[in-house]
Amino acid sequence: MQEIVGCNQAQIVMSEKQPRISWLTQVFRAVTGALILVFLPSFATPQHFLKPTDRDQPRSPAPEDRRHTEDPPLITPQTIEPGPVASSLMATWGFEPPLGFTGPSGVLPLDPGDEPHFVPVPDRWRLGFPPWDRYQEGHPPINDYPYDFGRWYDPYNQNVLKGDYPIYGQHVFLNLTLNNFSLLEFRHIPTPTTPFESTARPFQEPFFGLPRQFVYTSFYRVALDLFHGDAAFKPRDWFIRIAPVFNFNNFDVAELAIVNPDVRKATVRNRTYLALEEYFVETKLFDIGPDYDFVSLRIGNQFYSHDFRGFLFTQTNRAIRIFGTRL
């Protein structure tokens, strides 16, 4: 009995001397084991588990990799043959033609000399581009397509008539703007009749006649802007504008003496007008500083707006205007 008791006491003493594992240590071990299980697959790829003799053997591509390797090669300008339009332009220019409608160049060409590797292009605006059919559809006219060769009547691509290319030299540009404003109105308003001896219809006695009326007026405006200097980075050196406007209007009613007091003019009136709405010249007087601050002078019949949106006062009239960025 004594030996058993002593043994039990020794076991109790040994158990009391063993260190306790705190709950923080247990949590740390659990988190560390979870992180190892999560990140182990990313570090140990299947290539690491292959035998040394199997690593040098090429593997067959996966289905997704096989799909990417079967895609057609990228289309580059060197792999596209020029179309009929590009071929005719290349025959005219002697090298790749520029995009859009450029018109004739106002810069004289230079002699390339004996240098076979370089061709001088003195006109820095009309730089050529190789033909490129991006979508392999033949440049349809109704689609938005890059690398298009425009026509003189095409305003959606680059055009010399809207200031994309210089019309003379490398600094004189022309901007042609066509504008139309039309009003078409059908209306019914009370319309009086004329005396008995000149009514539109026989035996017409009521004081008010037929109320129908038709009004049509249309303004056709052409603005020609000729200026020197690329205005994208600095003010224009000089600027000339001429803007004539043509008007046609039609007035059709059902009663006499409405379009004209003379009843012999019937019930329809057509009129046309022609006027010079804007005409002025502008020149830059001097520069104020290195940041393109300037002072300019404009003389002629010109448009004026008192505020930014034109709510207070707008007018087109003859005037002399001095303006700039510091006034």
Side-chain angles (χ1 to χ4, degrees):
M1 292 296 293
Q2 293 178 358
E3 293 179 359
I4 296 176
V5 173
C7 183
N8 291 336
Q9 290 178 355
Q11 291 180 357
I12 294 174
V13 172
M14 292 178 60
S15 62
E16 289 179 357
K17 291 182 179 181
Q18 291 179 354
R20 291 186 176 181
I21 301 176
S22 63
W23 63 273
L24 292 176
T25 305
Q26 297 178 1
V27 172
F28 176 76
R29 291 180 177 178
V31 173
T32 304
L35 293 177
I36 293 175
L37 293 178
V38 170
F39 291 101
L40 183 61
S42 60
F43 291 102
T45 57
Q47 186 72 15
H48 294 87
F49 297 101
L50 294 177
K51 297 180 181 179
T53 56
D54 298 336
R55 292 180 182 178
D56 300 332
Q57 297 180 2
R59 295 183 302 163
S60 59
E64 296 184 358
D65 298 337
R66 188 179 299 111
R67 176 177 55 84
H68 289 292
T69 56
E70 294 177 357
D71 289 342
L74 296 177
I75 301 174
T76 59
Q78 290 77 11
T79 60
I80 300 299
E81 295 295 333
V85 176
S87 300
S88 60
L89 291 177
M90 290 177 66
T92 303
W93 285 83
F95 53 89
E96 288 85 358
L99 303 180
F101 177 74
T102 63
S105 176
V107 182
L108 295 177
L110 298 179
D111 186 10
D114 299 332
E115 178 59 49
H117 301 289
F118 299 96
V119 177
V121 182
D123 192 344
R124 65 186 182 92
W125 295 91
R126 295 169 171 85
L127 300 179
F129 288 86
W132 184 28
D133 190 354
R134 179 177 182 180
Y135 306 110
Q136 300 184 8
E137 296 179 1
H139 292 266
I142 61 175
N143 291 356
D144 187 10
Y145 230 81
Y147 284 63
D148 272 343
F149 302 103
R151 301 292 189 272
W152 66 268
Y153 51 84
D154 183 8
Y156 299 101
N157 294 305
Q158 290 178 319
N159 198 317
V160 66
L161 298 179
K162 62 186 184 76
D164 294 327
Y165 295 99
I167 193 173
Y168 177 77
Q170 302 200 46
H171 302 284
V172 180
F173 296 83
L174 173 67
N175 186 15
L176 175 63
T177 304
L178 305 179
N179 185 21
N180 173 258
F181 175 76
S182 299
L183 173 65
L184 183 66
E185 181 179 348
F186 295 90
R187 62 191 183 190
H188 277 200
I189 60 175
T191 305
T193 59
T194 48
F196 295 102
E197 64 274 11
S198 58
T199 56
R201 288 162 296 280
F203 307 105
Q204 187 176 0
E205 298 181 357
F207 180 80
F208 289 104
L210 297 179
R212 66 170 182 84
Q213 293 185 5
F214 169 73
V215 178
Y216 170 75
T217 180
S218 182
F219 295 88
Y220 301 91
R221 186 173 183 269
V222 180
L224 296 172
D225 297 340
L226 186 67
F227 55 93
H228 182 276
D230 184 13
F233 301 101
K234 66 176 184 177
R236 295 167 292 211
D237 297 324
W238 52 264
F239 177 31
I240 301 175
R241 164 171 283 193
I242 300 177
V245 59
F246 174 77
N247 172 258
F248 170 77
N249 60 80
N250 172 263
F251 187 32
D252 189 354
V253 296
E255 300 297 336
L256 299 176
I258 301 299
V259 299
N260 194 289
D262 188 354
V263 296
R264 294 175 299 177
K265 300 297 183 180
T267 60
V268 180
R269 183 187 67 195
N270 295 320
R271 288 182 178 178
T272 58
Y273 297 95
L274 179 63
L276 198 56
E277 184 179 20
E278 286 185 90
Y279 53 91
F280 62 80
V281 293
E282 174 188 320
T283 180
K284 185 176 65 174
L285 299 179
F286 51 85
D287 294 321
I288 298 178
D291 299 327
Y292 296 117
D293 295 319
F294 69 99
V295 176
S296 294
L297 173 67
R298 180 182 295 179
I299 303 176
N301 202 56
Q302 55 192 284
F303 177 78
Y304 172 76
S305 178
H306 183 73
D307 58 298
F308 179 74
R309 298 187 180 276
F311 291 152
L312 299 180
F313 179 74
T314 57
Q315 187 184 29
T316 301
N317 210 335
R318 291 179 293 273
I320 298 177
R321 181 187 176 193
I322 299 178
F323 63 97
T325 57
R326 291 293 182 88
L327 298 179

mmCIF file with all atom_site columns, all heavy atoms in Angstrom, residues 246-264:
data_model
loop_
_atom_site.group_PDB
_atom_site.id
_atom_site.type_symbol
_atom_site.label_atom_id
_atom_site.label_alt_id
_atom_site.label_comp_id
_atom_site.label_asym_id
_atom_site.label_entity_id
_atom_site.label_seq_id
_atom_site.pdbx_PDB_ins_code
_atom_site.Cartn_x
_atom_site.Cartn_y
_atom_site.Cartn_z
_atom_site.occupancy
_atom_site.B_iso_or_equiv
_atom_site.pdbx_formal_charge
_atom_site.auth_seq_id
_atom_site.auth_comp_id
_atom_site.auth_asym_id
_atom_site.auth_atom_id
_atom_site.pdbx_PDB_model_num
ATOM 1   N N   . PHE A 1 246 ? -28.568 83.261 -97.066  1.00 0.00 ? 246 PHE A N   1
ATOM 2   C CA  . PHE A 1 246 ? -29.657 83.289 -98.038  1.00 0.00 ? 246 PHE A CA  1
ATOM 3   C C   . PHE A 1 246 ? -30.912 82.753 -97.370  1.00 0.00 ? 246 PHE A C   1
ATOM 4   O O   . PHE A 1 246 ? -30.867 81.742 -96.658  1.00 0.00 ? 246 PHE A O   1
ATOM 5   C CB  . PHE A 1 246 ? -29.300 82.444 -99.267  1.00 0.00 ? 246 PHE A CB  1
ATOM 6   C CG  . PHE A 1 246 ? -30.422 82.296 -100.242 1.00 0.00 ? 246 PHE A CG  1
ATOM 7   C CD1 . PHE A 1 246 ? -30.755 83.333 -101.101 1.00 0.00 ? 246 PHE A CD1 1
ATOM 8   C CD2 . PHE A 1 246 ? -31.160 81.118 -100.302 1.00 0.00 ? 246 PHE A CD2 1
ATOM 9   C CE1 . PHE A 1 246 ? -31.803 83.195 -102.007 1.00 0.00 ? 246 PHE A CE1 1
ATOM 10  C CE2 . PHE A 1 246 ? -32.199 80.974 -101.203 1.00 0.00 ? 246 PHE A CE2 1
ATOM 11  C CZ  . PHE A 1 246 ? -32.522 82.016 -102.060 1.00 0.00 ? 246 PHE A CZ  1
ATOM 12  N N   . ASN A 1 247 ? -32.034 83.451 -97.609  1.00 0.00 ? 247 ASN A N   1
ATOM 13  C CA  . ASN A 1 247 ? -33.306 83.064 -96.993  1.00 0.00 ? 247 ASN A CA  1
ATOM 14  C C   . ASN A 1 247 ? -34.363 82.876 -98.061  1.00 0.00 ? 247 ASN A C   1
ATOM 15  O O   . ASN A 1 247 ? -34.483 83.677 -98.997  1.00 0.00 ? 247 ASN A O   1
ATOM 16  C CB  . ASN A 1 247 ? -33.758 84.121 -95.986  1.00 0.00 ? 247 ASN A CB  1
ATOM 17  C CG  . ASN A 1 247 ? -35.173 83.849 -95.467  1.00 0.00 ? 247 ASN A CG  1
ATOM 18  O OD1 . ASN A 1 247 ? -36.132 84.488 -95.891  1.00 0.00 ? 247 ASN A OD1 1
ATOM 19  N ND2 . ASN A 1 247 ? -35.290 82.885 -94.566  1.00 0.00 ? 247 ASN A ND2 1
ATOM 20  N N   . PHE A 1 248 ? -35.119 81.788 -97.889  1.00 0.00 ? 248 PHE A N   1
ATOM 21  C CA  . PHE A 1 248 ? -36.313 81.532 -98.706  1.00 0.00 ? 248 PHE A CA  1
ATOM 22  C C   . PHE A 1 248 ? -37.477 81.261 -97.762  1.00 0.00 ? 248 PHE A C   1
ATOM 23  O O   . PHE A 1 248 ? -37.354 80.459 -96.833  1.00 0.00 ? 248 PHE A O   1
ATOM 24  C CB  . PHE A 1 248 ? -36.108 80.326 -99.632  1.00 0.00 ? 248 PHE A CB  1
ATOM 25  C CG  . PHE A 1 248 ? -37.364 79.873 -100.311 1.00 0.00 ? 248 PHE A CG  1
ATOM 26  C CD1 . PHE A 1 248 ? -37.870 80.565 -101.398 1.00 0.00 ? 248 PHE A CD1 1
ATOM 27  C CD2 . PHE A 1 248 ? -38.061 78.766 -99.844  1.00 0.00 ? 248 PHE A CD2 1
ATOM 28  C CE1 . PHE A 1 248 ? -39.044 80.156 -102.017 1.00 0.00 ? 248 PHE A CE1 1
ATOM 29  C CE2 . PHE A 1 248 ? -39.227 78.346 -100.460 1.00 0.00 ? 248 PHE A CE2 1
ATOM 30  C CZ  . PHE A 1 248 ? -39.723 79.043 -101.550 1.00 0.00 ? 248 PHE A CZ  1
ATOM 31  N N   . ASN A 1 249 ? -38.621 81.956 -98.001  1.00 0.00 ? 249 ASN A N   1
ATOM 32  C CA  . ASN A 1 249 ? -39.788 81.762 -97.149  1.00 0.00 ? 249 ASN A CA  1
ATOM 33  C C   . ASN A 1 249 ? -41.040 81.675 -98.002  1.00 0.00 ? 249 ASN A C   1
ATOM 34  O O   . ASN A 1 249 ? -41.132 82.296 -99.074  1.00 0.00 ? 249 ASN A O   1
ATOM 35  C CB  . ASN A 1 249 ? -39.913 82.869 -96.099  1.00 0.00 ? 249 ASN A CB  1
ATOM 36  C CG  . ASN A 1 249 ? -40.038 84.239 -96.716  1.00 0.00 ? 249 ASN A CG  1
ATOM 37  O OD1 . ASN A 1 249 ? -41.114 84.635 -97.160  1.00 0.00 ? 249 ASN A OD1 1
ATOM 38  N ND2 . ASN A 1 249 ? -38.921 84.982 -96.751  1.00 0.00 ? 249 ASN A ND2 1
ATOM 39  N N   . ASN A 1 250 ? -41.983 80.912 -97.495  1.00 0.00 ? 250 ASN A N   1
ATOM 40  C CA  . ASN A 1 250 ? -43.263 80.685 -98.166  1.00 0.00 ? 250 ASN A CA  1
ATOM 41  C C   . ASN A 1 250 ? -44.385 80.858 -97.161  1.00 0.00 ? 250 ASN A C   1
ATOM 42  O O   . ASN A 1 250 ? -44.315 80.342 -96.039  1.00 0.00 ? 250 ASN A O   1
ATOM 43  C CB  . ASN A 1 250 ? -43.301 79.279 -98.774  1.00 0.00 ? 250 ASN A CB  1
ATOM 44  C CG  . ASN A 1 250 ? -44.673 78.914 -99.318  1.00 0.00 ? 250 ASN A CG  1
ATOM 45  O OD1 . ASN A 1 250 ? -45.451 78.247 -98.641  1.00 0.00 ? 250 ASN A OD1 1
ATOM 46  N ND2 . ASN A 1 250 ? -44.978 79.346 -100.530 1.00 0.00 ? 250 ASN A ND2 1
ATOM 47  N N   . PHE A 1 251 ? -45.436 81.619 -97.586  1.00 0.00 ? 251 PHE A N   1
ATOM 48  C CA  . PHE A 1 251 ? -46.588 81.888 -96.725  1.00 0.00 ? 251 PHE A CA  1
ATOM 49  C C   . PHE A 1 251 ? -47.842 81.564 -97.523  1.00 0.00 ? 251 PHE A C   1
ATOM 50  O O   . PHE A 1 251 ? -48.102 82.177 -98.562  1.00 0.00 ? 251 PHE A O   1
ATOM 51  C CB  . PHE A 1 251 ? -46.575 83.343 -96.263  1.00 0.00 ? 251 PHE A CB  1
ATOM 52  C CG  . PHE A 1 251 ? -47.631 83.674 -95.247  1.00 0.00 ? 251 PHE A CG  1
ATOM 53  C CD1 . PHE A 1 251 ? -48.063 82.728 -94.327  1.00 0.00 ? 251 PHE A CD1 1
ATOM 54  C CD2 . PHE A 1 251 ? -48.191 84.942 -95.211  1.00 0.00 ? 251 PHE A CD2 1
ATOM 55  C CE1 . PHE A 1 251 ? -49.032 83.031 -93.394  1.00 0.00 ? 251 PHE A CE1 1
ATOM 56  C CE2 . PHE A 1 251 ? -49.167 85.257 -94.276  1.00 0.00 ? 251 PHE A CE2 1
ATOM 57  C CZ  . PHE A 1 251 ? -49.578 84.309 -93.366  1.00 0.00 ? 251 PHE A CZ  1
ATOM 58  N N   . ASP A 1 252 ? -48.635 80.614 -97.032  1.00 0.00 ? 252 ASP A N   1
ATOM 59  C CA  . ASP A 1 252 ? -49.810 80.128 -97.750  1.00 0.00 ? 252 ASP A CA  1
ATOM 60  C C   . ASP A 1 252 ? -51.010 80.184 -96.816  1.00 0.00 ? 252 ASP A C   1
ATOM 61  O O   . ASP A 1 252 ? -50.987 79.577 -95.727  1.00 0.00 ? 252 ASP A O   1
ATOM 62  C CB  . ASP A 1 252 ? -49.580 78.697 -98.241  1.00 0.00 ? 252 ASP A CB  1
ATOM 63  C CG  . ASP A 1 252 ? -50.669 78.224 -99.186  1.00 0.00 ? 252 ASP A CG  1
ATOM 64  O OD1 . ASP A 1 252 ? -51.671 78.962 -99.367  1.00 0.00 ? 252 ASP A OD1 1
ATOM 65  O OD2 . ASP A 1 252 ? -50.529 77.124 -99.744  1.00 0.00 ? 252 ASP A OD2 1
ATOM 66  N N   . VAL A 1 253 ? -52.057 80.912 -97.224  1.00 0.00 ? 253 VAL A N   1
ATOM 67  C CA  . VAL A 1 253 ? -53.280 81.040 -96.425  1.00 0.00 ? 253 VAL A CA  1
ATOM 68  C C   . VAL A 1 253 ? -54.476 80.718 -97.318  1.00 0.00 ? 253 VAL A C   1
ATOM 69  O O   . VAL A 1 253 ? -54.330 80.419 -98.507  1.00 0.00 ? 253 VAL A O   1
ATOM 70  C CB  . VAL A 1 253 ? -53.405 82.455 -95.827  1.00 0.00 ? 253 VAL A CB  1
ATOM 71  C CG1 . VAL A 1 253 ? -52.268 82.723 -94.836  1.00 0.00 ? 253 VAL A CG1 1
ATOM 72  C CG2 . VAL A 1 253 ? -53.424 83.507 -96.919  1.00 0.00 ? 253 VAL A CG2 1
ATOM 73  N N   . ALA A 1 254 ? -55.679 80.810 -96.727  1.00 0.00 ? 254 ALA A N   1
ATOM 74  C CA  . ALA A 1 254 ? -56.904 80.476 -97.465  1.00 0.00 ? 254 ALA A CA  1
ATOM 75  C C   . ALA A 1 254 ? -57.765 81.688 -97.762  1.00 0.00 ? 254 ALA A C   1
ATOM 76  O O   . ALA A 1 254 ? -58.823 81.546 -98.404  1.00 0.00 ? 254 ALA A O   1
ATOM 77  C CB  . ALA A 1 254 ? -57.725 79.437 -96.682  1.00 0.00 ? 254 ALA A CB  1
ATOM 78  N N   . GLU A 1 255 ? -57.365 82.893 -97.310  1.00 0.00 ? 255 GLU A N   1
ATOM 79  C CA  . GLU A 1 255 ? -58.148 84.108 -97.527  1.00 0.00 ? 255 GLU A CA  1
ATOM 80  C C   . GLU A 1 255 ? -57.307 85.167 -98.226  1.00 0.00 ? 255 GLU A C   1
ATOM 81  O O   . GLU A 1 255 ? -56.061 85.140 -98.179  1.00 0.00 ? 255 GLU A O   1
ATOM 82  C CB  . GLU A 1 255 ? -58.676 84.659 -96.198  1.00 0.00 ? 255 GLU A CB  1
ATOM 83  C CG  . GLU A 1 255 ? -59.571 83.691 -95.450  1.00 0.00 ? 255 GLU A CG  1
ATOM 84  C CD  . GLU A 1 255 ? -60.857 83.344 -96.200  1.00 0.00 ? 255 GLU A CD  1
ATOM 85  O OE1 . GLU A 1 255 ? -61.279 84.160 -97.052  1.00 0.00 ? 255 GLU A OE1 1
ATOM 86  O OE2 . GLU A 1 255 ? -61.434 82.278 -95.956  1.00 0.00 ? 255 GLU A OE2 1
ATOM 87  N N   . LEU A 1 256 ? -57.996 86.120 -98.867  1.00 0.00 ? 256 LEU A N   1
ATOM 88  C CA  . LEU A 1 256 ? -57.330 87.206 -99.574  1.00 0.00 ? 256 LEU A CA  1
ATOM 89  C C   . LEU A 1 256 ? -56.900 88.308 -98.607  1.00 0.00 ? 256 LEU A C   1
ATOM 90  O O   . LEU A 1 256 ? -57.350 88.365 -97.460  1.00 0.00 ? 256 LEU A O   1
ATOM 91  C CB  . LEU A 1 256 ? -58.255 87.775 -100.649 1.00 0.00 ? 256 LEU A CB  1
ATOM 92  C CG  . LEU A 1 256 ? -58.692 86.804 -101.755 1.00 0.00 ? 256 LEU A CG  1
ATOM 93  C CD1 . LEU A 1 256 ? -59.686 87.470 -102.688 1.00 0.00 ? 256 LEU A CD1 1
ATOM 94  C CD2 . LEU A 1 256 ? -57.488 86.297 -102.528 1.00 0.00 ? 256 LEU A CD2 1
ATOM 95  N N   . ALA A 1 257 ? -56.002 89.186 -99.095  1.00 0.00 ? 257 ALA A N   1
ATOM 96  C CA  . ALA A 1 257 ? -55.535 90.365 -98.362  1.00 0.00 ? 257 ALA A CA  1
ATOM 97  C C   . ALA A 1 257 ? -54.792 90.003 -97.067  1.00 0.00 ? 257 ALA A C   1
ATOM 98  O O   . ALA A 1 257 ? -54.708 90.818 -96.160  1.00 0.00 ? 257 ALA A O   1
ATOM 99  C CB  . ALA A 1 257 ? -56.688 91.315 -98.063  1.00 0.00 ? 257 ALA A CB  1
ATOM 100 N N   . ILE A 1 258 ? -54.260 88.811 -97.002  1.00 0.00 ? 258 ILE A N   1
ATOM 101 C CA  . ILE A 1 258 ? -53.472 88.397 -95.835  1.00 0.00 ? 258 ILE A CA  1
ATOM 102 C C   . ILE A 1 258 ? -51.979 88.445 -96.178  1.00 0.00 ? 258 ILE A C   1
ATOM 103 O O   . ILE A 1 258 ? -51.176 89.011 -95.443  1.00 0.00 ? 258 ILE A O   1
ATOM 104 C CB  . ILE A 1 258 ? -53.880 86.990 -95.365  1.00 0.00 ? 258 ILE A CB  1
ATOM 105 C CG1 . ILE A 1 258 ? -55.373 86.976 -95.002  1.00 0.00 ? 258 ILE A CG1 1
ATOM 106 C CG2 . ILE A 1 258 ? -53.027 86.564 -94.180  1.00 0.00 ? 258 ILE A CG2 1
ATOM 107 C CD1 . ILE A 1 258 ? -55.745 87.908 -93.887  1.00 0.00 ? 258 ILE A CD1 1
ATOM 108 N N   . VAL A 1 259 ? -51.595 87.863 -97.297  1.00 0.00 ? 259 VAL A N   1
ATOM 109 C CA  . VAL A 1 259 ? -50.191 87.900 -97.696  1.00 0.00 ? 259 VAL A CA  1
ATOM 110 C C   . VAL A 1 259 ? -49.811 89.270 -98.237  1.00 0.00 ? 259 VAL A C   1
ATOM 111 O O   . VAL A 1 259 ? -48.626 89.636 -98.224  1.00 0.00 ? 259 VAL A O   1
ATOM 112 C CB  . VAL A 1 259 ? -49.903 86.805 -98.740  1.00 0.00 ? 259 VAL A CB  1
ATOM 113 C CG1 . VAL A 1 259 ? -50.179 85.429 -98.164  1.00 0.00 ? 259 VAL A CG1 1
ATOM 114 C CG2 . VAL A 1 259 ? -50.727 87.019 -100.002 1.00 0.00 ? 259 VAL A CG2 1
ATOM 115 N N   . ASN A 1 260 ? -50.822 90.045 -98.714  1.00 0.00 ? 260 ASN A N   1
ATOM 116 C CA  . ASN A 1 260 ? -50.567 91.376 -99.245  1.00 0.00 ? 260 ASN A CA  1
ATOM 117 C C   . ASN A 1 260 ? -51.885 92.151 -99.243  1.00 0.00 ? 260 ASN A C   1
ATOM 118 O O   . ASN A 1 260 ? -52.944 91.549 -99.502  1.00 0.00 ? 260 ASN A O   1
ATOM 119 C CB  . ASN A 1 260 ? -50.006 91.280 -100.672 1.00 0.00 ? 260 ASN A CB  1
ATOM 120 C CG  . ASN A 1 260 ? -49.402 92.583 -101.157 1.00 0.00 ? 260 ASN A CG  1
ATOM 121 O OD1 . ASN A 1 260 ? -50.109 93.561 -101.424 1.00 0.00 ? 260 ASN A OD1 1
ATOM 122 N ND2 . ASN A 1 260 ? -48.084 92.600 -101.265 1.00 0.00 ? 260 ASN A ND2 1
ATOM 123 N N   . PRO A 1 261 ? -51.863 93.460 -98.933  1.00 0.00 ? 261 PRO A N   1
ATOM 124 C CA  . PRO A 1 261 ? -53.140 94.213 -98.984  1.00 0.00 ? 261 PRO A CA  1
ATOM 125 C C   . PRO A 1 261 ? -53.802 94.188 -100.352 1.00 0.00 ? 261 PRO A C   1
ATOM 126 O O   . PRO A 1 261 ? -55.038 94.350 -100.443 1.00 0.00 ? 261 PRO A O   1
ATOM 127 C CB  . PRO A 1 261 ? -52.710 95.643 -98.599  1.00 0.00 ? 261 PRO A CB  1
ATOM 128 C CG  . PRO A 1 261 ? -51.458 95.459 -97.806  1.00 0.00 ? 261 PRO A CG  1
ATOM 129 C CD  . PRO A 1 261 ? -50.768 94.279 -98.414  1.00 0.00 ? 261 PRO A CD  1
ATOM 130 N N   . ASP A 1 262 ? -53.005 93.988 -101.401 1.00 0.00 ? 262 ASP A N   1
ATOM 131 C CA  . ASP A 1 262 ? -53.570 93.892 -102.744 1.00 0.00 ? 262 ASP A CA  1
ATOM 132 C C   . ASP A 1 262 ? -54.165 92.508 -102.924 1.00 0.00 ? 262 ASP A C   1
ATOM 133 O O   . ASP A 1 262 ? -53.461 91.504 -102.902 1.00 0.00 ? 262 ASP A O   1
ATOM 134 C CB  . ASP A 1 262 ? -52.479 94.157 -103.774 1.00 0.00 ? 262 ASP A CB  1
ATOM 135 C CG  . ASP A 1 262 ? -53.019 94.277 -105.193 1.00 0.00 ? 262 ASP A CG  1
ATOM 136 O OD1 . ASP A 1 262 ? -54.237 94.036 -105.397 1.00 0.00 ? 262 ASP A OD1 1
ATOM 137 O OD2 . ASP A 1 262 ? -52.219 94.586 -106.098 1.00 0.00 ? 262 ASP A OD2 1
ATOM 138 N N   . VAL A 1 263 ? -55.488 92.432 -103.121 1.00 0.00 ? 263 VAL A N   1
ATOM 139 C CA  . VAL A 1 263 ? -56.155 91.131 -103.235 1.00 0.00 ? 263 VAL A CA  1
ATOM 140 C C   . VAL A 1 263 ? -55.757 90.404 -104.512 1.00 0.00 ? 263 VAL A C   1
ATOM 141 O O   . VAL A 1 263 ? -55.965 89.191 -104.631 1.00 0.00 ? 263 VAL A O   1
ATOM 142 C CB  . VAL A 1 263 ? -57.691 91.318 -103.178 1.00 0.00 ? 263 VAL A CB  1
ATOM 143 C CG1 . VAL A 1 263 ? -58.119 91.863 -101.829 1.00 0.00 ? 263 VAL A CG1 1
ATOM 144 C CG2 . VAL A 1 263 ? -58.178 92.237 -104.307 1.00 0.00 ? 263 VAL A CG2 1
ATOM 145 N N   . ARG A 1 264 ? -55.153 91.111 -105.457 1.00 0.00 ? 264 ARG A N   1
ATOM 146 C CA  . ARG A 1 264 ? -54.727 90.463 -106.697 1.00 0.00 ? 264 ARG A CA  1
ATOM 147 C C   . ARG A 1 264 ? -53.486 89.597 -106.490 1.00 0.00 ? 264 ARG A C   1
ATOM 148 O O   . ARG A 1 264 ? -53.128 88.803 -107.367 1.00 0.00 ? 264 ARG A O   1
ATOM 149 C CB  . ARG A 1 264 ? -54.431 91.530 -107.757 1.00 0.00 ? 264 ARG A CB  1
ATOM 150 C CG  . ARG A 1 264 ? -55.669 92.294 -108.196 1.00 0.00 ? 264 ARG A CG  1
ATOM 151 C CD  . ARG A 1 264 ? -55.308 93.414 -109.146 1.00 0.00 ? 264 ARG A CD  1
ATOM 152 N NE  . ARG A 1 264 ? -54.410 94.393 -108.501 1.00 0.00 ? 264 ARG A NE  1
ATOM 153 C CZ  . ARG A 1 264 ? -53.884 95.453 -109.139 1.00 0.00 ? 264 ARG A CZ  1
ATOM 154 N NH1 . ARG A 1 264 ? -54.147 95.648 -110.419 1.00 0.00 ? 264 ARG A NH1 1
ATOM 155 N NH2 . ARG A 1 264 ? -53.101 96.296 -108.484 1.00 0.00 ? 264 ARG A NH2 1
#
